[in-house]
Amino acid sequence: MKVIIPYRQTEKDLEIKYALRSLDKYVSGIDQVVIVGEMPKGIKNVNFIPHGQSNYINQRQFTICDKTLKGIENIKGDFLFYNDDHYILKPIQAKDFPTHHKGELIRERNGTRYMQTIRNTIEITGAHFMNYDTHSPIIFNADKYRKTFEGMKFPEWGYCLKTLYCWFNNVEGEYCQDLKLENVANYGQLDDRLYFSTMHCNFTGFEQMMNELYPEPSKYEI
């Protein structure tokens, strides 16, 4: 199975380094990693597809969707959608990743501009559809992804992409509490987890923890 990662460079590209370490350490059944967007520093052995990057945050969801469509142009069947802040904690086959949601869309209360993305999505799915936009990898089918998103008009702040895919394609998942660590003090929350995520704004505070979790360089590192 191919792994698609839509990517925008960061100052040190640290998150994706450890995301790829976790992928290399724990996930089997991967044929190729495809990075679409900007090439991270210090990375090799991936298929890189350049793609333009919008500088407007309110177009972020559209840009992610467009990068994904570019990355799957020659893919048939399933692929694993993966972000640079996804970290795996247990052995798993790529084809066996579960589909998780974090409860009904109407329950989302984070007080940020992301709420407009939620409202846009609710206009299509209804308020009580499950929110599948957790910080986790997810398996998509390339043909169904294209059918869902090609030609779609995106409003300002876009849509919850995973949620729309699941709604249009009758995908059902199971509840799993979302986990995006704000600091290393939350380290204990990783017990019995399959995956977790981290806050971009203070990632340097996670480096020691990440080196303990993933001490060995991956085959994707220069």
Side-chain angles (χ1 to χ4, degrees):
M1 183 179 291
K2 287 183 171 57
V3 178
I4 303 294
I5 305 176
Y7 190 68
R8 179 175 184 171
Q9 285 181 331
T10 62
E11 183 179 355
K12 296 182 179 179
D13 293 323
L14 289 176
E15 292 98 327
I16 195 165
K17 179 177 78 171
Y18 292 106
L20 290 171
R21 282 191 184 187
S22 79
L23 198 71
D24 193 34
K25 181 176 182 179
Y26 287 120
V27 184
S28 54
I30 295 174
D31 301 323
Q32 187 181 58
V33 171
V34 182
I35 294 177
V36 188
E38 299 175 337
M39 184 64 180
K41 299 177 287 292
I43 298 301
K44 64 177 182 179
N45 295 331
V46 300
N47 179 15
F48 171 62
I49 301 175
H51 189 284
Q53 175 68 49
S54 172
N55 292 321
Y56 298 98
I57 190 172
N58 61 355
Q59 295 180 1
R60 180 172 180 269
Q61 299 302 320
F62 169 76
T63 303
I64 292 172
C65 182
D66 206 39
K67 287 178 179 178
T68 305
L69 287 170
K70 183 67 175 178
I72 65 173
E73 282 183 345
N74 298 312
I75 294 178
K76 295 182 179 179
D78 293 344
F79 67 95
L80 185 66
F81 178 88
Y82 202 85
N83 284 338
D84 62 302
D85 59 350
H86 292 165
Y87 312 103
I88 312 303
L89 292 165
K90 295 179 180 180
I92 187 172
Q93 282 270 343
K95 65 180 180 62
D96 294 332
F97 265 97
T99 301
H100 284 154
H101 65 76
K102 53 183 176 179
E104 295 179 345
L105 284 162
I106 198 171
R107 295 181 180 179
E108 186 74 36
R109 294 287 187 275
N110 62 19
T112 70
R113 290 168 293 191
Y114 180 63
M115 285 307 300
Q116 185 58 52
T117 307
I118 294 287
R119 288 190 286 269
N120 292 341
T121 306
I122 284 174
E123 288 184 5
I124 293 177
T125 66
H128 298 289
F129 191 71
M130 299 303 169
N131 185 350
Y132 287 90
D133 280 71
T134 62
H135 294 92
S136 64
I138 185 171
I139 295 174
F140 289 136
N141 177 274
D143 293 328
K144 291 179 179 179
Y145 196 93
R146 283 187 284 267
K147 185 176 180 180
T148 300
F149 292 112
E150 281 184 342
M152 179 177 287
K153 302 296 184 181
F154 277 67
E156 189 175 27
W157 300 106
Y159 298 112
C160 300
L161 299 176
K162 295 176 182 177
T163 301
L164 272 198
Y165 175 91
C166 290
W167 188 81
F168 277 113
N169 295 287
N170 300 311
V171 176
E172 295 184 0
E174 57 186 30
Y175 175 80
C176 183
Q177 183 178 358
D178 202 12
L179 182 57
K180 193 173 181 73
L181 295 184
E182 295 183 1
N183 54 63
V184 293
N186 305 122
Y187 187 93
Q189 297 181 44
L190 300 185
D191 293 345
D192 298 320
R193 294 280 305 194
L194 172 61
Y195 56 81
F196 72 103
S197 182
T198 56
M199 298 291 289
H200 284 286
C201 58
N202 57 357
F203 184 83
T204 52
F206 290 104
E207 281 191 78
Q208 181 176 346
M209 182 188 82
M210 289 298 191
N211 280 318
E212 291 174 0
L213 289 171
Y214 313 110
E216 298 298 324
S218 73
K219 63 187 175 186
Y220 305 109
E221 292 176 51
I222 295 174

